[in-house]
Amino acid sequence: MAHILILGGGAAGLAAALAAAQTDPTARVTVLERSPRPGKKLLATGNGRCNLTNIQAPHSRAVLDFFASL
């Protein structure tokens, strides 16, 4: 079994952890974050509504589809 360590629980770190877990479902994925709440800055986007993409952006549908698949 693989052990994967992600340093940083920001948007990129959490996305990397998701990708790693989807790539190898048997892997043990650990995210280390210095602050007490991983993803806190992500929650602050969009005035507290967690705005992950600009709906007018060319690839916004792919981003929304990715999160819907989770």
Side-chain angles (χ1 to χ4, degrees):
M1 175 172 65
H3 296 273
I4 300 168
L5 177 64
I6 308 292
L7 300 177
L14 295 175
L18 283 169
Q22 288 177 335
T23 300
D24 184 357
T26 65
R28 180 178 172 193
V29 180
T30 303
V31 177
L32 294 181
E33 171 56 37
R34 180 181 350 176
S35 71
R37 292 188 60 200
K40 183 177 179 181
K41 288 183 182 178
L42 186 62
L43 291 173
T45 63
N47 237 0
R49 294 186 311 252
C50 198
N51 183 16
L52 301 175
T53 182
N54 180 338
I55 297 302
Q56 303 304 316
H59 301 291
S60 61
R61 176 51 37 200
V63 173
L64 294 173
D65 289 346
F66 168 74
F67 283 105
S69 75
L70 298 176

